[in-house]
Amino acid sequence: MKTPATDKIRNVAVIGHSGSGKTSIVEALLLRAGVLARPGSVEDGTTVCDHEPEEAKRQMSLGLALAPFEWKASDGATYKVNLIDTPAYGDFAGDVDTALAVADLAVLVVSAVDGVEVGTETAWRKCAERNVPRLVFVSKEDKQRADFHRVLEQLRSTFGTGFVPLELPLGEEEALHGVADVLTGRGFEYDGDGTHRAAELPDDVAEEERRLHDELVEEIVSGDDEQLERYLSGDVPTATELERTLAHEVLDCIEFPVLVGSASSGVGIDRLADFICELGPSPADRPTKVVAGPSEAPVEVDVAADPAGKPLAFVFKTVADQFVGQVSVFKVLSGQIRPDDHLLNTATGTDERLHGLFHLRGKEHVHADTVVAGDLGAVAKLAGTPTGSVLAPKDAPVRAATPQTTMTAFGLALTPRTQADDDKLSGALAKLVAEDAGLAVERNEESGQTVLHGAGDTHVAVALERMARKFGVHVDTEDIRVRYRETVVGHAEAEGKVKKQSGGHGQFAVAQLRISPREPGSGSEFVSKVVGGAIPKQYIAAVEKGVEEAMAHGGIHGFPVVDVRVEVYDGKTHSVDSSDMAFRTAGAIGLRQAMQQAGSAVLEPVSMLTVTVPEGHQGEVLGDLNARRGRVLGTTADGAGSHEIVAHVPTSEILRYAVDLRSITGGRGTFVVTHDHYEVLPDHLVDRAKEHAKPVAARGGH
Ligand SMILES: Nc1nc2c(ncn2[C@@H]2O[C@H](COP(=O)(O)OP(=O)(O)OP(=O)(O)O)[C@@H](O)[C@H]2O)c(=O)[nH]1
Ligand SMILES: [Mg+2]
């Protein structure tokens, strides 16, 4: 691929609801651009973007994919379009954020059959939050029950003003055969190969076109004072002038052009490419915010995509390639990146040499000589550059402005199937996490579990399938063990006694202990009240050690003991047979006996859960939280149609909340959860807790 000029680059995120047709549109554009000789299909798993076996198996996109192509637009210029196909399934939303962080335009795909759906709303909101310019493509116009006008109305009633239809379909459903251009009044008929020729507009379309044309012109000029003045004095701007004004309004996120077509029949696909090039912003129109200066006094600065500027690259994605290893995908924020450049990773301090450069197209590597400001490139085998880093010259060390946040709402514990799997597990997990910033690994020392966290059950399942395929590591999964605790409920005294004096060197130690409960959450304490050397000083420490070990090992129910005050107040020693070992054992025995007498209660972890749901879903969410023994602390409306519910809920009740909330709210709810405190577990649930948590003592060992 030739190195493009920055102002001729278009970075376009293709976003929308699940199955709205995004991947098929990307495929159709690649076909029309001549990159592909034959189109693949989502059903056969043969598209450029859904190239991973896990995607083919599910017939859906599970990660972002790049699809660059060159396009000679109707204005005569040649552009380089970098399409970024995104997954829509909620678990993979992180990749939509990633795509929008580097895109200068979003094409929001809305199915002409299904209209505005949950995923359309989510995608729109993400663009609005980031101020990403938008085009809407109404897809599947060839399908039964397609209705362009209904979708247009839905867009307006859901998102408000600014939707300007630039096209009208000629025919609808099976009869779809072309589009009318609202700006010029011309008609275009499509052939089977996706090329078009001029066509007469039927009377009804012509009439609607004229009406829409006038509305469109007024809408466009009203955003430009000079054109508005001319227009009001009777001077109608030319189509080219109007397009130029519209391009500014698209950049400012005031207008959102609406196009129509079909990936299957190719209708409108070439014109989509034209509009992307002619109305979409170039990287030069949208500077990137980075952070300069020392970390104590960071300064935000705008970097313009200037090819003559200092070379700066933002690594936004890492993929594990089976042949070349780790591939870092980057956007050049300014300057030019050349093979063998040395740059500094400003986050890790690693000096990186960029060997061969290439562009990714699906899984294919397309050689690149230079990657210029605004363009997307890739490089293999960087030494220490995680996703989200900026590579910069040593004399201009800037950092990324927004560190990526990880939302891990769901976790599963992993058990390697074989010793070989066990040996390779941590290495493989590290690679998975490097590839996907939305995953996190946690090693729980207490339960001995290795937990993989992700955004939802599908996210974790897909990650494990990838781990098996790419790294040959196979695991079984189980729920995360809840970390129950135990504490005493009353006061008690007990004697810990070790006496073994038959033959040879004996063992002797006696420790008298007193235990009592402490404030929940305040921790345990050990106090010595021994007087007169009944237990010599050096052995007091041994008693304490024994008590601590016994508490960690588990109380009556087998859970670690917390919030207990233990006092050693008397004891006995033998001048020959006493030892550290004997007093440790005495301490442990004493604690266990005292607990038996005092009685113990199981404590369960309680989480602080904050759920955000759209209006109308609060009732179901509250009812469900109630059934989970939750205690609602408050609900607030944000005034923009969302409700926030804050509740304390036992952690054991929300291990699969990511999955459950999705089904309760149809994917519209989100939540954040953090550990909050421990509470006494009701007696009737103790057996279930023991069964589920397999407490330390029950697992033997130690
Ligand atoms: N008739 C018709 N079917 C289409 C068209 N575009 C896509 N489809 C079908 O719709 C289904 C979903 O298409 P995809 O391209 O996978 O949609 P997507 O938005 O990428 O889906 P996710 O990545 O899973 O969100 C597939 O079965 C496609 O063959 C179209 O223009 N016309
Ligand atoms: Mg897709």
Side-chain angles (χ1 to χ4, degrees):
M1 243 184 243
K2 281 206 295 283
T3 307
T6 296
D7 67 340
K8 295 288 183 288
I9 296 171
R10 298 290 178 268
N11 295 310
V12 185
V14 185
I15 59 174
H17 187 78
S18 283
S20 53
K22 301 174 292 296
T23 300
S24 304
I25 289 167
V26 171
E27 193 77 3
L29 283 164
L30 291 176
L31 177 73
R32 190 64 187 78
V35 172
L36 300 175
R38 259 171 290 114
S41 83
V42 172
E43 284 78 7
D44 302 342
T46 48
T47 58
V48 168
C49 290
D50 288 356
H51 59 84
E52 300 240 315
E54 293 78 21
E55 300 180 309
K57 175 178 145 194
R58 290 175 175 78
Q59 298 190 10
M60 64 196 274
S61 308
L62 302 173
L64 69 77
L66 300 177
F69 66 90
E70 278 170 2
W71 185 253
K72 188 153 194 256
S74 58
D75 64 3
T78 299
Y79 293 80
K80 181 178 182 208
V81 181
N82 293 316
L83 295 176
I84 312 170
D85 184 25
T86 64
Y89 191 72
D91 280 14
F92 303 90
D95 264 9
V96 179
D97 296 316
T98 302
L100 291 177
V102 294
D104 300 300
L105 176 75
V107 169
L108 179 71
V109 179
V110 186
S111 151
V113 181
D114 303 308
V116 173
E117 297 170 88
V118 187
T120 325
E121 291 177 33
T122 318
W124 184 266
R125 209 172 44 238
K126 283 180 188 279
C127 291
E129 278 162 12
R130 291 177 169 271
N131 238 0
V132 178
R134 278 147 272 174
L135 281 182
V136 179
F137 187 76
V138 178
S139 66
K140 302 191 185 179
E141 184 61 16
D142 62 295
K143 255 188 114 171
Q144 254 183 17
R145 294 193 305 282
D147 187 342
F148 175 73
H149 291 87
R150 186 187 59 216
V151 175
L152 191 59
E153 254 165 48
Q154 272 185 344
L155 286 168
R156 288 178 170 147
S157 64
T158 319
F159 304 119
T161 55
F163 292 95
V164 285
L166 300 185
E167 296 178 333
L168 288 172
L170 297 182
E172 205 150 30
E173 306 180 295
E174 304 87 273
L176 175 78
H177 60 283
V179 293
D181 184 307
V182 176
L183 215 48
T184 60
R186 296 202 310 232
F188 301 99
E189 237 168 34
Y190 279 78
D191 292 326
D193 64 355
T195 55
H196 67 246
R197 52 194 149 76
E200 287 282 311
L201 295 187
D203 288 347
D204 56 334
V205 180
E207 192 188 320
E208 188 188 3
E209 187 280 322
R210 273 193 296 277
R211 185 170 53 77
L212 285 182
H213 175 87
D214 293 345
E215 281 175 24
L216 175 62
V217 173
E218 274 175 31
E219 178 87 26
I220 295 175
V221 298
S222 65
D224 181 296
D225 290 346
E226 189 224 303
Q227 262 183 11
L228 180 63
E229 213 169 287
R230 275 172 50 199
Y231 179 74
L232 291 177
S233 61
D235 177 10
V236 178
T238 63
T240 315
E241 284 173 322
L242 287 169
E243 261 191 23
R244 205 171 303 137
T245 309
L246 182 56
H248 282 293
E249 294 166 351
V250 168
L251 174 64
D252 294 341
C253 301
I254 305 170
E255 303 289 358
F256 314 105
V258 182
L259 309 172
V260 63
S262 153
S264 327
S265 70
V267 169
I269 294 297
D270 53 355
R271 289 174 47 88
L272 169 61
D274 284 342
F275 282 120
I276 285 173
C277 297
E278 291 164 26
L279 292 179
S282 88
D285 297 322
R286 299 184 76 247
T288 312
K289 283 210 183 317
V290 295
V291 175
S295 53
E296 318 81 71
V299 208
E300 232 180 43
V301 282
D302 278 340
V303 176
D306 175 4
K310 294 211 187 256
L312 282 182
F314 171 57
V315 176
F316 62 91
K317 180 84 190 161
T318 307
V319 284
D321 184 288
Q322 261 175 316
F323 304 106
V324 301
Q326 191 162 303
V327 171
S328 306
V329 190
F330 57 85
K331 181 178 188 181
V332 181
L333 303 183
S334 84
Q336 317 206 4
I337 305 287
R338 296 193 175 83
D340 296 326
D341 271 357
H342 277 275
L343 289 171
L344 177 74
N345 181 316
T346 53
T348 60
T350 314
D351 184 19
E352 296 284 18
R353 174 147 164 244
L354 300 113
H355 297 278
L357 298 176
F358 52 95
H359 302 287
L360 276 180
R361 182 185 289 134
K363 63 179 171 211
E364 185 195 351
H365 296 183
V366 182
H367 172 82
D369 290 325
T370 304
V371 188
V372 74
D375 204 357
L376 310 182
V379 61
K381 294 196 173 73
L382 293 186
T385 292
T387 304
S389 322
V390 169
L391 298 174
K394 285 201 181 58
D395 59 346
V398 302
R399 307 182 291 284
T402 42
Q404 298 219 332
T405 48
T406 331
M407 238 305 277
T408 55
F410 181 83
L412 279 181
L414 315 179
T415 322
R417 293 213 178 126
T418 65
Q419 185 59 45
D421 290 324
D422 199 1
D423 295 343
K424 287 189 286 181
L425 182 62
S426 65
L429 287 174
K431 285 184 203 155
L432 280 184
V433 174
E435 192 175 345
D436 182 347
L439 292 170
V441 177
E442 179 204 5
R443 172 92 194 151
N444 182 342
E445 293 303 334
E446 183 182 314
S447 66
Q449 287 184 313
T450 298
V451 177
L452 180 62
H453 292 278
D457 54 338
T458 309
H459 190 200
V460 172
V462 167
L464 295 178
E465 280 174 39
R466 284 205 177 118
M467 180 165 80
R469 173 172 60 85
K470 289 187 171 176
F471 313 118
V473 180
H474 299 267
V475 294
D476 293 316
T477 60
E478 59 181 352
D479 275 347
I480 302 176
R481 283 192 201 115
V482 174
R483 297 182 212 187
Y484 293 98
R485 296 282 183 267
E486 213 177 309
T487 193
V488 297
V489 290
H491 298 247
E493 289 183 358
E495 181 183 85
K497 185 170 180 182
V498 176
K499 187 177 176 193
K500 199 172 125 237
Q501 284 166 318
S502 54
H505 200 300
Q507 292 285 345
F508 184 85
V510 176
Q512 315 266 20
L513 303 182
R514 206 176 265 148
I515 63 170
S516 54
R518 274 168 56 85
E519 275 291 294
S522 63
S524 292
E525 70 175 346
F526 179 88
V527 188
S528 168
K529 287 281 167 70
V530 175
V531 287
I535 302 175
K537 253 217 174 76
Q538 80 263 28
Y539 293 144
I540 298 281
V543 174
E544 179 171 8
K545 189 130 199 280
V547 165
E548 276 174 2
E549 282 167 355
M551 294 204 307
H553 190 57
I556 299 172
H557 298 285
F559 299 113
V561 178
V562 297
D563 301 340
V564 178
R565 176 189 157 91
V566 181
E567 201 180 288
V568 52
Y569 65 92
D570 203 357
K572 288 189 191 114
T573 324
H574 185 276
S575 56
V576 180
D577 291 344
S578 281
S579 65
D580 265 4
M581 185 58 171
F583 273 101
R584 245 166 81 184
T585 313
I589 294 172
L591 182 91
R592 278 200 289 273
Q593 287 188 358
M595 277 198 79
Q596 287 288 354
Q597 286 173 36
S600 91
V602 175
L603 301 174
E604 65 172 338
V606 174
S607 297
M608 173 78 89
L609 177 70
T610 307
V611 189
T612 309
V613 284
E615 194 99 45
H617 287 280
Q618 315 93 283
E620 290 152 273
V621 171
L622 288 170
D624 172 75
L625 288 178
N626 213 13
R628 294 173 194 265
R629 302 189 286 126
R631 207 166 50 240
V632 175
L633 305 176
T635 63
T636 42
D638 71 350
S642 277
H643 281 253
E644 196 177 87
I645 300 164
V646 183
H648 279 153
V649 194
T651 308
S652 63
E653 303 282 347
I654 47 172
L655 292 179
R656 305 182 73 84
Y657 199 60
V659 182
D660 302 335
L661 182 67
R662 188 194 311 134
S663 73
I664 298 171
T665 63
R668 288 180 169 87
T670 57
F671 71 96
V672 181
V673 66
T674 50
H675 170 72
D676 200 73
H677 64 279
Y678 276 89
E679 269 177 38
V680 173
L681 179 72
D683 279 344
H684 69 281
L685 295 173
V686 168
D687 285 342
R688 202 187 76 183
K690 281 160 115 168
E691 174 54 33
H692 175 80
K694 298 198 187 83
V696 233
R699 292 205 318 276
H702 306 293

